[in-house]
Amino acid sequence: MEGIRFDFNPMMAEYVGEHGIARADMEDMQASLRAAHAMVEQNRGKGMQGWMDLPYNQDGVLTAIEEAAKRVRDTFESFVVLGIGGSALGPAAVHQALRHLHYNELPREKRGGPRLYIEDNIDPERMAALLDVIDVRTTCFNVITKSGGTAETMSQYLIVLDLLKKAVGDDYRRHILITTSENKGFLIKIARQEGYETFYIPDGVGGRFSELCPVGLLAAAVTGVDVRALVAGAREMDQRCLGDDPWKNPALFEAGLMVAAMRKGANISVMLPYADSLKLMSDWYAQLWAESLGKNLTLDGKPCHVGQTPVKALGVTDQHSQLQLYTEGPFDKVITFLKVDAFRAETPIPHGCEDVPTIAFLGGKSHNQLIEAERQGTEYALYRAGRMCQIISLPAVNETTVGQLLYFFELVTAYAGALLNIDAFNQPGVEESKLAAYAVMGYDSEKHAAKREEMKNRPARHPDYMF
Ligand code: PA5
């Protein structure tokens, strides 16, 4: 199977002009790139880099996932993922990529598996809407939380537990599958008490690096994805990126380019797939890139405030929305095209409107040609405007290429973190928001009571600024 390909030419000054990266910059980075590679490799499988083992160590887990998935497929009409952040974005991206774009609307025999809902928010209207379209008596809920205590996910658990008990009595346990840490958090204790079937998130696998463990693989298997091929794709990418020569390791080269771009002031990374199936890859990437690299301290504790803001876009839709900014706005972006060589459908455009040349030229062509022509047009417009771009081509969107793509971005993130000398695997900056929210919710602890008091000390809102 042909692998995904990378064209970094439009990142380079040689191609795109003064706003690109000079070859000399990449050559000057050789030593630091090799050091970043060494650091990532030294920690393979250790600390929070357990995700690097996932392509190799899951044979038994895959069998258990396939067995559970078969039971769910045979028994339930709906499968609901309750999770947020890394516990939801990967499953959603893979589902969108590998299943029918209107999967839930297909008749059961075409779907093969239950309908899938990924509930990654606590908007009360959303929960109400979900309950309007599922029947809890025929629904299996997969509660996914690594920490086992995330308020959003656990509040959803409490809601469905109550509903299930009312609807199916003691049978509720059969409707709940748990994915959580084996040795940490409260959910594992609840799971053991209740006797729920449970899958483990390995300790060294953080939320945003967890798609290729049961977090993502269970929902994928339930909807009929070949999860072994997905993991094999990741393995292929890992093998391709083993060496420390940046000119031979595309993930290392990409990390170098992105860090060089950040140093030139390109603080925005636009993910621009030209395929609806890859639309949610941008959401998954946004979390990976933002939460991993947005840090205010280096590994040796010095202030740094680094990171690159991810922007989610979609071709061709955003040509009619954001492209104007990309071509003429500030030189602060890198644009990453995700291109698909062979789509899984062919949509011919019939002849018609023969007397209107601006429409007639489309007749006899196809949407497949048009979307690629528009992608090329955008790439050319960005080239003319001297903007940094890169093109990642997938021969087709399938389990192998999606596994490759996921693992590629995980590796790039790890290398970029090492280059920036930051901890790419923590997220201290989200703690304050959680603490404050729990304080507002009346959490009864000294820490939360102190936070409630502290929050009262904010400046008063001035009426001049309120309308
Ligand atoms: O990447 C991360 O670690 C986070 O975004 C988590 O995925 C997110 O906060 C959800 O955490 P948990 O899986 O513990 O519920």
Side-chain angles (χ1 to χ4, degrees):
M1 165 89 45
E2 206 193 336
I4 61 178
R5 307 183 310 278
F6 305 91
D7 182 356
F8 297 127
N9 273 286
M11 289 294 289
M12 307 306 297
E14 288 157 77
Y15 187 92
V16 85
E18 56 169 327
H19 295 287
I21 313 287
R23 176 179 279 263
D25 290 347
M26 291 305 289
E27 280 165 356
D28 290 350
M29 279 176 98
Q30 290 252 16
S32 46
L33 281 166
R34 285 184 198 267
H37 179 274
M39 186 172 162
V40 170
E41 279 304 319
Q42 272 154 22
N43 291 310
R44 177 182 283 267
K46 299 186 199 141
M48 288 312 290
Q49 281 182 222
W51 54 272
M52 294 182 82
D53 285 341
L54 296 176
Y56 302 97
N57 68 358
Q58 293 195 95
D59 269 355
V61 180
L62 286 169
T63 304
I65 286 173
E66 285 163 345
E67 284 167 7
K70 182 169 180 337
R71 275 197 302 283
V72 172
R73 284 162 75 77
D74 290 347
T75 322
F76 293 102
E77 289 304 318
S78 302
F79 187 75
V80 178
V81 169
L82 304 177
I84 196 163
S87 298
L89 293 162
V94 165
H95 182 67
Q96 174 99 352
L98 296 177
R99 298 290 82 195
H100 192 283
L101 289 173
H102 294 291
Y103 174 86
N104 278 357
E105 283 81 54
L106 288 175
R108 171 85 203 202
E109 58 283 9
K110 287 206 171 152
R111 257 189 283 123
R115 292 192 181 85
L116 176 71
Y117 301 92
I118 298 176
E119 298 302 303
D120 65 348
N121 205 355
I122 44 168
D123 178 335
E125 292 183 23
R126 178 148 163 194
M127 181 55 91
L130 175 74
L131 297 174
D132 281 343
V133 296
I134 63 166
D135 179 346
V136 295
R137 291 168 304 179
T138 55
T139 300
C140 179
F141 296 91
N142 183 197
V143 186
I144 310 180
T145 160
K146 171 149 192 206
S147 61
T150 300
E152 294 87 343
T153 306
M154 293 314 293
S155 64
Q156 291 173 323
Y157 166 74
L158 291 174
I159 293 166
V160 302
L161 181 66
D162 181 55
L163 289 169
L164 280 170
K165 282 185 175 171
K166 286 176 183 146
V168 299
D170 281 346
D171 200 27
Y172 69 89
R173 293 181 184 84
R174 201 174 53 81
H175 293 250
I176 294 177
L177 291 174
I178 301 294
T179 308
T180 193
S181 299
E182 187 173 1
N183 304 310
K184 280 188 219 141
F186 290 106
L187 186 55
I188 187 62
K189 297 192 180 83
I190 298 170
R192 287 190 180 129
Q193 260 161 27
E194 294 279 10
Y196 295 139
E197 182 168 3
T198 301
F199 291 89
Y200 299 125
I201 308 174
D203 287 345
V205 178
R208 54 195 179 272
F209 289 83
S210 69
E211 171 50 27
L212 295 164
C213 81
V215 166
L217 299 180
L218 181 57
V222 162
T223 58
V225 169
D226 178 351
V227 288
R228 285 179 195 271
L230 196 64
V231 172
R235 195 160 52 237
E236 281 175 25
M237 185 53 69
D238 189 55
Q239 292 294 316
R240 198 169 159 186
C241 298
L242 277 182
D244 71 348
D245 180 350
W247 300 89
K248 297 203 175 117
N249 175 340
L252 190 57
F253 197 80
E254 161 73 347
L257 285 175
M258 291 304 255
V259 170
M262 288 180 218
R263 289 180 182 148
K264 283 174 75 72
N267 289 320
I268 297 173
S269 168
V270 178
M271 187 57 66
L272 184 59
Y274 269 69
D276 278 32
S277 62
L278 299 177
K279 182 177 176 182
L280 297 184
M281 277 292 159
S282 306
D283 289 47
W284 172 82
Y285 167 82
Q287 185 211 13
L288 181 71
W289 200 240
E291 209 163 65
S292 302
L293 302 186
K295 298 289 152 69
N296 67 2
L297 289 178
T298 61
L299 285 172
D300 28 7
K302 302 205 177 82
C304 61
H305 298 286
V306 293
Q308 197 185 37
T309 305
V311 168
K312 310 176 234 178
L314 179 67
V316 302
T317 308
D318 278 296
Q319 287 178 212
H320 299 267
S321 165
Q322 301 189 52
L323 183 59
Q324 171 62 33
L325 173 72
Y326 299 168
T327 54
E328 295 191 359
F331 286 86
D332 58 358
K333 299 172 198 65
V334 172
I335 290 143
T336 303
F337 288 91
L338 297 181
K339 166 185 180 300
V340 176
D341 296 343
F343 285 85
R344 288 162 290 191
E346 182 85 23
T347 304
I349 307 171
H351 288 283
C353 302
E354 301 298 350
D355 48 344
V356 188
T358 54
I359 300 173
F361 82 101
L362 296 167
K365 311 265 180 25
S366 67
H367 271 174
N368 307 59
Q369 288 169 290
L370 184 57
I371 195 169
E372 174 53 14
E374 297 216 29
R375 195 202 62 75
Q376 287 182 23
T378 299
E379 192 193 312
Y380 186 70
L382 290 165
Y383 155 77
R384 284 286 307 252
R387 309 297 161 140
M388 280 186 284
C389 308
Q390 48 192 354
I391 302 128
I392 302 179
S393 300
L394 287 75
V397 179
N398 56 38
E399 279 86 345
T400 309
T401 55
V402 167
Q404 292 173 352
L405 192 65
L406 292 165
Y407 197 79
F408 170 77
F409 283 125
E410 291 178 1
L411 268 184
V412 174
T413 305
Y415 293 144
L419 272 176
L420 293 166
N421 192 29
I422 47 124
D423 184 344
F425 306 107
N426 65 3
Q427 54 282 327
V430 300
E431 290 310 316
E432 180 67 23
S433 141
K434 266 192 218 170
L435 187 60
Y438 295 2
V440 172
M441 277 298 270
Y443 195 114
D444 186 16
S445 83
E446 236 174 74
K447 189 166 81 171
H448 293 90
K451 189 53 67 178
R452 270 190 292 279
E453 282 312 303
E454 182 195 301
M455 288 170 81
K456 288 182 192 156
N457 295 329
R458 277 175 293 180
R461 250 68 169 184
H462 199 290
D464 282 359
Y465 304 124
M466 300 178 79
F467 297 88

